[in-house]
Amino acid sequence: MTGEITLPRLYPILDASCFADDRALFHFAEELLAAGVILLQYRNKQGSARQMLSHARELRRIAGNRVRLIMNDRADLCLAADFDGVHVGQDDLAPEAVRRIVGNRLWVGVSTHNPEQLREVEQADADYVAIGPVFVTSSKANPDPVVGLDGVRSARSITRKPLVAIGGITRANARSVIDAGADSVAVISDLLRDPRHAVEEFHRVLG
Ligand code: TZP
Ligand code: MG
């Protein structure tokens, strides 16, 4: 993206593995959108590329163009589904490689887990940086060590880029994560049970 982006306080992640079938997945997305979510990431670690593209295209249709949709891991599927950005981790394509694929108009976000990675991303062509896991999470296989609120504070001191915190963030601890310097909280599990209500509560505590 040319110029600095502004992140909403809440950055929900729709993880395909959390849903029994497509119907449940799309219903969850609709509930989030109805509650006012304006940024949403699609994450699917087990599905085929075909399934991912099919989900992503339907999400684009449901969301319309007012909502920013971010594809986890895959720049190719981002373009194919007309998404608005890509989120990559330390084992995915580097931000510069993603940028060459998606161009300057779309967002590129990068996950980091320690100060060294943060310093590297600070110099890279990424629009935002994520730090985590902040707290213990069961939504990620083989997570890196928990960084805690101190890790968020340290990340804030290293990067001037918009900062997303991720991992074990709930309505109960989200405020403390923002107060530690994050611009936005990315959440999977604490949205699952009653998404509409959960989003409203997140918005209330994050104000
Ligand atoms: N990256 C670091 S922690 C995590 C990812 C994808 C999972 C976050 O899920 P939850 O359920 O909000 O802890
Ligand atoms: Mg990844």
Side-chain angles (χ1 to χ4, degrees), residues 13 15 41 43 111 113 132-140 143 166-169 186-190:
I13 299 178
D15 187 320
Q41 182 183 131
R43 179 176 194 263
S111 280
H113 314 291
V134 179
F135 305 115
V136 171
T137 180
S138 46
S139 304
K140 188 177 187 185
I166 184 166
I169 298 175
V187 180
I188 297 177
S189 50
D190 199 37

Side-chain angles (χ1 to χ4, degrees), residues 96-152:
E96 281 70 18
V98 176
R99 183 66 73 198
R100 284 180 65 164
I101 298 168
V102 303
N104 287 328
R105 200 178 53 80
L106 302 192
W107 289 11
V108 176
V110 183
S111 280
T112 67
H113 314 291
N114 58 53
E116 192 186 338
Q117 292 170 356
L118 274 153
R119 279 189 279 271
E120 193 180 332
V121 173
E122 183 59 5
Q123 305 305 321
D125 189 1
D127 295 295
Y128 71 85
V129 57
I131 180 71
V134 179
F135 305 115
V136 171
T137 180
S138 46
S139 304
K140 188 177 187 185
N142 307 313
D144 285 78
V146 162
V147 301
L149 292 175
D150 281 343
V152 178

